[in-house]
Amino acid sequence: MDKLFRLVDVSLVTTIISGLLYVLGYNYYLYYFSYFGINLLVRDPEVAYIFKKGFDFSGYLLMIIFLTLLVYMVIDHSFLWINKKISSITIQQGKSMALALSLCVFMFAFTTLLDYVQSYAEGNARVFATNRQTTGQAVIFLQDGKKLPGSFSFFFLNKSNVVLFNTGTPIGKKPKLTIIPSANVSYLEVN
């Protein structure tokens, strides 16, 4: 029976940690593509990519978890010490107070990490947009055989859309995108 409880505890901890990593990766992609004005439903990143990006922030998450545990242990031991001196606080009250305060510390640190992920994603998107506006031209031929007018650079392709940068936008400005249903494209040439 003890082995079952240890297995449940381990599975609960891994579920929580993997959920937090997923939230970090999802937030990164959400703000990255939001910079370009694209909804995540259009880009539709795979779960593996979201977890992979979440693991990029796993060191920060690990530090937050250790900080939370440290705060819990310090507060719990402080209440035990106070209980020995004054005995006005029960052990359960001390553990509840330590749990509540450490949860507050975790929430504050995790929201700070989410803010960092947002600024990091937007910074990466700005750099990528600047590079895309200066390099590589794409030529798009539509189903009717005509070439799509304008100057474009390739961004991404999924099963339903082709997304292109409009390279006619001045460098440093937020890029304009052209989204074409992939059924309308007969040929795409990327340099």
Side-chain angles (χ1 to χ4, degrees), residues 19-150:
L20 293 172
L21 290 173
Y22 184 85
V23 166
L24 290 171
Y26 184 85
N27 256 7
Y28 176 85
Y29 282 120
L30 176 71
Y31 290 112
Y32 183 84
F33 289 112
S34 292
Y35 176 81
F36 300 110
I38 296 176
N39 188 323
L40 269 185
L41 294 175
V42 173
R43 180 59 177 118
D44 193 23
E46 293 181 11
V47 174
Y49 290 123
I50 292 175
F51 271 116
K52 184 179 177 191
K53 188 46 80 176
F55 273 107
D56 290 350
F57 304 104
S58 62
Y60 297 113
L61 182 62
L62 194 60
M63 287 184 348
I64 290 171
I65 290 171
F66 282 139
L67 175 69
T68 304
L69 290 173
L70 181 67
V71 166
Y72 176 80
M73 290 187 320
V74 166
I75 293 172
D76 187 41
H77 287 298
S78 298
F79 277 119
L80 286 174
W81 182 79
I82 291 171
N83 189 25
K84 287 180 185 175
K85 299 291 182 186
I86 302 174
S87 64
S88 64
I89 301 172
T90 65
I91 293 174
Q92 281 304 92
Q93 287 174 330
K95 289 199 180 298
S96 298
M97 185 67 84
L99 186 63
L101 290 175
S102 62
L103 184 62
C104 288
V105 167
F106 175 80
M107 293 305 293
F108 176 75
F110 192 71
T111 53
T112 303
L113 178 59
L114 288 176
D115 290 342
Y116 169 73
V117 168
Q118 178 182 355
S119 65
Y120 182 71
E122 289 171 349
N124 284 349
R126 272 191 294 279
V127 168
F128 183 78
T130 302
N131 289 342
R132 271 300 185 201
Q133 286 174 322
T134 59
T135 61
Q137 293 297 313
V139 179
I140 299 93
F141 291 97
L142 302 175
Q143 287 293 346
D144 60 4
K146 295 180 182 176
K147 182 179 157 188
L148 185 67

